[in-house]
Amino acid sequence: MTTMTDHEPQGTSVPATDAALAVHNLWKIFGKGGDKILGTPDAELPRPELKEKTGCVVGVKDVSFEVAQGEVFVVMGLSGSGKSTLVRCLTRLIEPTAGEVIVDGEDVTKANESRLRELRRNHASMVFQHFGLLPHRQVIDNVGYGLEIRGVPKKERRAKAAEVVDLVGLSGYEFSYPDQLSGGMQQRVGLARALAGDPKLLLFDEPFSALDPLIRRDMQNEVIRLHHELRKTMVFITHDLAEALKLGDRILIMRDGEVVQVGTPDQIIGAPADEYVRDFTSEVPRSHVLTLKWVMHEPNGDAGDGPVLQADQIVKDAARVVLDHHGPCRVMDGDKLVGVVDDEDILRVVVAEEEAPA
Amino acid sequence: MTTVVAPPRAEAKEPPPPPAEPRHLPRWAWALIVIGVWIVVWAFTKGQDTLTLGAREHTQLQNDLTEFRNAVLASRDTNPFIQFTYQLGEWFKEAVEWCQRMISIPDFPRPVPQIGWLGVTAVAVWIGLAVAGWRIALLVAASFVSFGLFGYWSDSMDLLIVTFVSVSVAVLIGMPLAVLLGTTSRLGNSIINTILDIFQTMPTFVYLLPIVLFFGIGASAAVVCTLIYALPPLIRIAGHGIRSVPSTTIEATDSAGQTSWQRLRKVQLPMARKTIVVGLNQTIMAALSMATIAAYVDGPGLGQPVLQSLFKNDVGGAFVPGMLIVVMAVMLDRTTTAASEASEKAARGRINMRQRRIVLAVAAVPVLVALWMSRFYTWAAAFPENNLGPSVADAVNSFTEWFVDAFGGATEWFKNVITEALINPMQSLLAESPWYVTATAIMALALVLGGLRALMPTVICLIGIYIFGLWHDAMITLTMTMVGTVLVMVMALVFGVWMARRKSVDLLLRPLLDAGQTIPPFVYLIPMLALFGPTRFTAIVAGVIYAAPVAIKLVADGVAGVSSSTVEASRSTGATTWQEITKVQLPMSKGSIVLAANQGLLFMLSMAVIGGMVGAGALGYDVVLGFSRSEEWGKGAAAGITIVLIGIMLDRIARAAANQDPITHNPTRRPWWRSSMG
Ligand SMILES: Nc1ncnc2c1ncn2[C@@H]1O[C@H](COP(=O)(O)OP(=O)(O)O)[C@@H](O)[C@H]1O
Ligand SMILES: [Mg+2]
């Protein structure tokens, strides 16, 4: 869990100008005549009723968000909430019904076919839950596939592919076939394939859901490591809250195609937008996610001269210092005093956790 | 907002329970009632209005068809369409003849073909080695040597040539269509599928008459009919393979920005490769079986000596070339199957390609030597004369005589029992009732068994049969088909259930059934003719043997597919074996059983036609006569169309009956898009 603090959480508001990805009012309605429903009152109906009435299913409902350069943006929700549909709309693997998707300043929804191919080849790559590898190709040729279809000569693409295979820790398996590899290794191939084209934007659709828990943890750490090394912008889909909290700079929570909340992990845990979010964040160890900012209180009068802690420090990491010190500790945001914490503030979080049903 | 207790999940919602069905008589009881009424009516009316048409009599429509043929032939030099088809036929013929001069007939002024038997055999063995390994190479060597040894070298080569020219053209036409089938929308799919359905329900024989009209007889007609017959399996199976490439893989590679051409070439075709080769195997086997039947239109090949001997009732003479057809079928089947496995292995890196190339290069040296020798040494050019073929034929003839002497009583008894107990009563009911009684009864049965969806096509087909003026013959052919199908289903149920319940029986029978399926239907007539002489019964038994392997396998797989936990559950309640079979396994595999019956019907129908010339009579005989006498062409064509109508009618009734079934029609099947999405 130490990795949590390794990458700086971004602010909630992203300057629109240099966003790596911006999505505005995106809709996807599956079924015949889906586009005609848009803008009518029907569009606001709950899913089962709309299905009953028109036979259409709303996959994505008026979703907007922006992702900053180098950010890891997690989309999470239960199965059927429209995550896969959303991420596929970003590169138009599923054609959105309405809305804008802006990648590197260009509106993807307006791109013609060749422009779209260009974008998929150079700007955004995707990693899939079921890998989608080509069984009749060796690892190195699976990884080099994106380069091959761009027309990169064989020698060059093999060299580049070998480099990436190395990067994801698969050296020695270049000439294996996918069915000779374990699930975790196959997904490393999937990861390498996405990285080989050197895209700015990486999209992940529940890449680790099909893996065993231990291997899943390794792969999550791998993603964190790669993010450190390569600093790529990532949109990461998951239904696993722990994974979302571990990887995400910010998290978008979806339900029935709609955005329920967008925020940093501590915002999601500390200030859930509604009962729905509160309900499925209830089992998260809060002390592992919340920062001091969420537990401190106003200094009544003098802040005292206790140890200085930063507002964005995780409660768990600060606990030792606060409990060892008698009296309140000062919480600073940079140089500015923003509050104080004492033993009781810490214990409230930790004890509440122990009382919660396991 | 209230607390969200359970996450809303669209898929998890149970469909509402179907409304309880009111209890009523089962379908088979209704069918029995219809038949009962029919028998009563028949008893009072038999012999009236049977629409019997004498041997040399024609209806007006049949005469018109003959006129049409004459007009077509007369316009040969002016009508651009006929000119086009004749030109096409000419190209096919030239291709075949070129190959013949290369390997099967003397290429004037040479007294022998360009490449003699030794060279051909060596090249074939090398190809076997290259595509499938040394075992197959040995099989190929043995097969080719046997062609020469038994004295049918040039007929064998001709059959191979017709098969391969047809298959090559079938691949050229079929692969693009398969890609279309594998990649287009549902609409395009259902159009292609409907066309293929019609082609596949058409018994082989029926293609021949119109083809002869537009392409003439001989090699050109042989190639065209073989090609048409061999095309559907390739399109269907390869198309299915392309369509079955997992959508996750397509999506993943699409996300890399591939063009649709790249998707096809680098993803869909390689991933469907194994299925495509299976389709190719089916196409080659279909081509071989049709190429033998093309002997009826004077197509070159091993079918010719078989046919001539059959006409003369010379069992021994038919036996040797018939056996060589089987040898060729087994060789082609094993080679393509092994090639598919080998190519799969190669695609997954399980074969050392370098070592393989060296082996092939080394093996090429003796092949070249053999080629060279076969051009310059007589013994290597023309297969040395020997007496093996004729002596085997004589041996078979004397064996047959002995067998018929010794067991003639038993076979005669068997024939009579089936004829008296099944064929005669049924034929009398179908063909001797007034035509309107039979028609009404058939429509009533269609309605009872398959509902309105079966009734519509049945009415149309019956009207057609009536119009073409061969009602009586049609009813006789229908009788043979039905009797045969009953026998096929008895065999299928007995052996299918047995195979499904006993692994050892399955292991024993399955290879036999597989082999049986590869043998061209034509060949089955030979031993049956020996046993039963030229009668209706011969064709029926040959048809039963031809149709049985498919039907048995379908039933066996269906019964074996019944979930073992269901069987276990019934066993735990103390059911006897008989109860377990009749109350659990058979009802639950009803879909496969109906499918088996459907296949049985179509196979029987085509055999009833091929058997026309060994005593089956009726429509088959009308067709055969249509080939040989120009004034009978119209009647033959009418018979051909009638056969198609019978085929479509039976097929539609069987399908509708299967779909009406609440068990095979499974409402809980998830829609296609749900099964693929996460
Ligand atoms: N091709 C499609 N046609 C119709 N409905 C679809 C299609 N794909 C997905 N859906 C529906 O859209 C909703 C969202 O699906 P999806 O994006 O796959 O959810 P998630 O990935 O979050 O599990 C689901 O209710 C699903 O049934
Ligand atoms: Mg999903």
Side-chain angles (χ1 to χ4, degrees):
Chain A
M1 276 295 168
T2 48
T3 46
M4 263 315 300
T5 48
D6 284 359
H7 44 141
E8 269 94 89
Q10 308 270 329
T12 35
S13 61
V14 174
T17 42
D18 66 330
L21 167 71
V23 173
H24 300 307
N25 307 98
L26 193 71
W27 284 81
K28 174 66 196 180
I29 303 178
F30 289 111
K32 252 206 181 114
D35 46 339
K36 299 209 181 66
I37 292 172
L38 212 73
T40 66
D42 279 355
E44 296 305 325
L45 286 177
R47 259 197 203 171
E49 283 164 41
L50 183 71
K51 176 99 208 252
E52 184 77 3
K53 189 168 170 194
T54 63
C56 294
V57 177
V58 177
V60 172
K61 190 168 182 178
D62 201 16
V63 168
S64 303
F65 61 88
E66 291 188 351
V67 181
Q69 300 284 357
E71 183 180 11
V72 179
F73 188 83
V74 173
V75 177
M76 85 148 271
L78 298 169
S79 160
S81 57
K83 310 178 296 290
S84 297
T85 310
L86 172 63
V87 77
R88 280 167 178 71
C89 283
L90 300 184
T91 54
R92 279 171 55 191
L93 288 173
I94 291 177
E95 204 61 53
T97 311
E100 281 184 340
V101 175
I102 293 164
V103 175
D104 281 337
E106 183 180 345
D107 188 352
V108 177
T109 57
K110 303 223 163 51
N112 62 19
E113 202 154 309
S114 70
R115 191 73 201 121
L116 181 64
R117 264 203 304 278
E118 167 69 14
L119 175 111
R120 288 179 184 171
R121 287 177 181 186
N122 298 319
H123 295 268
S125 293
M126 191 155 163
V127 182
F128 294 83
Q129 178 176 6
H130 297 293
F131 323 141
L133 302 177
L134 295 169
H136 55 283
R137 285 166 171 252
Q138 294 166 344
V139 164
I140 191 147
D141 290 326
N142 261 295
V143 172
Y145 187 74
L147 301 171
E148 179 178 334
I149 59 179
R150 285 189 215 172
V152 177
K154 181 160 181 175
K155 214 167 155 184
E156 198 177 313
R157 70 170 188 259
R158 282 214 156 191
K160 173 73 189 167
E163 215 173 90
V164 184
V165 166
D166 208 32
L167 183 70
V168 299
L170 274 182
S171 340
Y173 291 97
E174 288 89 344
F175 301 108
S176 304
Y177 285 82
D179 60 0
Q180 299 167 328
L181 304 180
S182 69
M185 284 155 90
Q186 291 191 34
Q187 194 55 296
R188 280 174 200 262
V189 179
L191 198 55
R193 177 177 60 187
L195 289 172
D198 204 19
K200 297 204 188 67
L201 179 61
L202 282 175
L203 309 173
F204 297 81
D205 185 18
E206 302 203 25
F208 310 140
S209 300
L211 305 180
D212 295 337
L214 283 182
I215 297 171
R216 192 183 313 163
R217 200 187 58 195
D218 284 350
M219 293 301 291
Q220 288 162 354
N221 293 335
E222 188 74 19
V223 167
I224 290 167
R225 179 178 71 81
L226 286 171
H227 185 243
H228 269 266
E229 283 180 28
L230 307 171
R231 286 280 150 205
K232 299 210 180 284
T233 312
M234 297 183 181
V235 174
F236 195 103
I237 309 292
T238 180
H239 65 246
D240 174 3
L241 183 63
E243 187 168 77
L245 294 171
K246 181 171 178 179
L247 300 177
D249 293 327
R250 282 189 308 145
I251 299 171
L252 181 154
I253 296 184
M254 276 182 97
R255 181 185 50 193
D256 285 356
E258 282 179 281
V259 178
V260 183
Q261 186 173 9
V262 188
T264 55
D266 54 329
Q267 285 172 330
I268 300 280
I269 300 295
D274 62 9
E275 284 300 324
Y276 177 76
V277 179
R278 191 190 307 283
D279 210 40
F280 73 66
T281 55
S282 63
E283 291 192 4
V284 175
R286 295 158 66 80
S287 62
H288 291 214
V289 180
L290 290 186
T291 53
L292 291 179
K293 190 168 76 191
W294 294 93
V295 298
M296 67 191 186
H297 59 268
E298 292 286 307
N300 34 9
D302 183 25
D305 56 355
V308 170
L309 295 164
Q310 287 297 320
D312 58 4
Q313 215 169 345
I314 304 281
V315 171
K316 181 178 68 105
D317 301 332
R320 185 87 279 155
V321 181
V322 179
L323 293 178
D324 282 353
H325 177 73
H326 289 283
C329 301
R330 286 173 291 168
V331 179
M332 314 276 269
D333 185 9
D335 299 335
K336 201 171 131 254
L337 181 75
V338 287
V340 293
V341 281
D342 54 23
D343 293 4
E344 207 193 319
D345 293 325
I346 300 289
L347 288 176
R348 213 173 27 237
V349 179
V350 176
V351 172
E353 233 150 60
E354 287 185 347
E355 281 170 355
Chain B
M1 188 185 257
T2 53
T3 325
V4 181
V5 183
R9 286 181 52 175
E11 282 116 320
K13 236 183 169 179
E14 295 287 333
E21 281 198 24
R23 288 194 64 79
H24 45 59
L25 274 182
R27 283 188 279 157
W28 57 265
W30 280 109
L32 283 185
I33 293 173
V34 170
I35 294 173
V37 173
W38 187 6
I39 291 174
V40 172
V41 176
W42 162 81
F44 292 102
T45 56
K46 82 185 127 175
Q48 300 170 21
D49 296 322
T50 55
L51 300 184
T52 316
L53 195 65
R56 286 282 183 269
E57 290 173 339
H58 307 128
T59 64
Q60 185 55 41
L61 182 66
Q62 290 163 7
N63 283 331
D64 290 346
L65 283 170
T66 307
E67 281 308 308
F68 167 72
R69 166 188 182 264
N70 294 341
V72 167
L73 288 184
S75 72
R76 213 184 306 187
D77 299 324
T78 50
N79 184 331
F81 178 72
I82 310 291
Q83 279 174 329
F84 169 74
T85 55
Y86 265 76
Q87 182 58 57
L88 209 60
E90 197 57 35
W91 285 330
F92 290 147
K93 197 166 130 205
E94 273 166 24
V96 169
E97 280 174 356
W98 185 85
C99 295
Q100 281 182 316
R101 285 195 301 275
M102 289 304 284
I103 63 172
S104 96
I105 54 170
D107 185 12
F108 189 80
R110 282 171 66 88
V112 286
Q114 289 291 340
I115 304 172
W117 71 271
L118 187 67
V120 176
T121 305
V123 171
V125 169
W126 189 85
I127 293 175
L129 184 69
V131 299
W134 63 270
R135 276 170 222 262
I136 293 298
L138 282 183
L139 175 69
V140 172
S143 308
F144 272 73
V145 169
S146 70
F147 299 150
L149 216 51
F150 287 99
Y152 286 96
W153 177 261
S154 109
D155 280 332
S156 304
M157 289 307 104
D158 287 350
L159 181 56
L160 265 185
I161 289 168
V162 171
T163 305
F164 274 94
V165 170
S166 314
V167 168
S168 315
V169 182
V171 169
L172 283 183
I173 303 174
M175 275 318 289
L177 286 174
V179 168
L180 210 63
L181 187 67
T183 52
T184 51
S185 63
R186 330 225 92 217
L187 179 69
N189 244 286
S190 61
I191 292 173
I192 300 180
N193 265 325
T194 312
I195 296 173
L196 292 182
D197 270 351
I198 292 174
F199 271 106
Q200 284 201 322
T201 38
M202 251 198 255
T204 33
F205 229 66
V206 172
Y207 300 124
L208 296 180
L209 275 168
I211 285 172
V212 170
L213 180 55
F214 292 107
F215 294 89
I217 57 166
S220 53
V223 170
V224 175
C225 66
T226 306
L227 159 69
I228 293 180
Y229 184 65
L231 207 46
L234 179 68
I235 300 178
R236 203 164 258 185
I237 299 174
H240 170 77
I242 293 171
R243 179 162 285 275
S244 312
V245 172
S247 60
T248 48
T249 313
I250 302 277
E251 193 172 45
T253 45
D254 271 352
S255 82
Q258 64 193 350
T259 61
S260 46
W261 174 241
Q262 286 171 325
R263 182 195 311 143
L264 181 66
R265 227 168 40 93
K266 292 173 191 278
V267 181
Q268 290 171 314
L269 288 182
M271 285 186 74
R273 174 205 208 117
K274 194 171 172 199
T275 320
I276 293 174
V277 179
V278 170
L280 197 62
N281 167 286
Q282 296 289 304
T283 285
I284 292 176
M285 300 320 290
L288 183 68
S289 100
M290 191 65 192
T292 53
I293 291 174
Y296 279 97
V297 291
D298 209 19
L302 280 172
Q304 294 245 10
V306 175
L307 193 62
Q308 276 148 22
S309 304
L310 284 181
F311 275 132
K312 288 184 295 191
N313 273 341
D314 172 9
V315 174
F319 177 82
V320 176
M323 179 193 72
L324 293 180
I325 294 175
V326 175
V327 167
M328 192 179 289
V330 171
M331 173 188 84
L332 290 176
D333 181 52
R334 292 281 84 222
T335 307
T336 45
T337 309
S340 122
E341 281 155 17
S343 81
E344 188 67 11
K345 271 193 199 155
R348 306 233 170 175
R350 310 266 154 82
I351 287 178
N352 184 341
M353 291 314 273
R354 241 177 77 87
Q355 189 189 332
R356 234 173 112 76
R357 276 193 207 109
I358 295 172
V359 169
L360 287 180
V362 172
V365 175
V367 170
L368 290 175
V369 173
L371 265 180
W372 177 81
M373 289 207 300
S374 80
R375 287 179 61 79
F376 296 104
Y377 293 90
T378 332
W379 65 267
F383 207 94
E385 290 278 329
N386 68 67
N387 216 20
L388 194 57
S391 44
V392 169
D394 287 344
V396 168
N397 271 336
S398 40
F399 174 80
T400 314
E401 263 166 44
W402 169 82
F403 189 91
V404 172
D405 268 355
F407 300 98
T411 55
E412 201 55 33
W413 175 84
F414 180 56
K415 178 167 100 180
N416 289 338
V417 165
I418 299 278
T419 309
E420 294 299 328
L422 261 174
I423 308 178
N424 285 349
M426 231 174 124
Q427 179 165 327
S428 179
L429 184 62
L430 271 160
E432 302 307 325
S433 296
W435 70 271
Y436 39 82
V437 173
T438 306
T440 314
I442 293 177
M443 288 189 280
L445 284 174
L447 182 66
V448 167
L449 294 175
L452 282 175
R453 285 189 16 181
L455 185 61
M456 276 303 293
T458 305
V459 171
I460 295 171
C461 290
L462 286 175
I463 292 175
I465 294 171
Y466 177 80
I467 289 176
F468 282 98
L470 290 166
W471 182 272
H472 190 252
D473 281 357
M475 290 307 121
I476 295 176
T477 298
L478 183 58
T479 305
M480 286 192 282
T481 311
M482 299 303 293
V483 170
T485 309
V486 170
L487 295 176
V488 168
M489 285 318 289
V490 170
M491 284 178 74
L493 288 177
V494 171
F495 287 102
V497 171
W498 198 20
M499 278 170 72
R501 294 178 62 90
R502 286 264 177 291
K503 190 80 194 139
S504 54
V505 177
D506 189 294
L507 286 177
L508 189 73
L509 284 186
R510 198 168 284 267
L512 287 180
L513 299 178
D514 287 344
Q517 268 187 293
T518 57
I519 298 174
F522 205 34
V523 176
Y524 288 116
L525 283 175
I526 301 166
M528 294 309 124
L529 188 64
L531 287 179
F532 303 111
T535 61
R536 273 177 309 178
F537 187 71
T538 305
I540 292 180
V541 177
V544 169
I545 295 177
Y546 171 47
V550 189
I552 294 175
K553 270 162 73 175
L554 280 169
V555 171
D557 293 345
V559 173
V562 173
S563 122
S564 58
S565 56
T566 314
V567 177
E568 216 167 35
S570 103
R571 204 170 289 168
S572 76
T573 63
T576 63
T577 304
W578 178 249
Q579 286 172 328
E580 192 176 304
I581 294 174
T582 54
K583 301 225 182 292
V584 181
Q585 289 183 314
L586 290 185
M588 286 189 70
S589 48
K590 224 173 196 170
S592 318
I593 295 173
V594 173
L595 191 60
N598 190 3
Q599 289 291 306
L601 281 171
L602 297 177
F603 276 47
M604 278 308 304
L605 184 59
S606 70
M607 197 51 123
V609 180
I610 299 174
M613 47 141 208
V614 291
L619 294 178
Y621 182 74
D622 297 332
V623 175
V624 176
L625 208 61
F627 290 131
S628 46
R629 289 174 203 272
S630 55
E631 75 277 10
E632 298 291 337
W633 195 90
K635 196 172 179 179
I641 297 169
T642 306
I643 291 163
V644 175
L645 291 172
I646 294 178
I648 294 178
M649 182 175 80
L650 294 177
D651 180 58
R652 294 296 126 156
I653 296 176
R655 273 176 206 239
N659 279 344
Q660 278 227 330
D661 211 302
I663 291 169
T664 48
H665 173 73
N666 182 357
T668 56
R669 237 184 61 173
R670 288 152 66 93
W672 60 274
W673 44 264
R674 284 221 181 134
S675 46
S676 63
M677 296 299 289

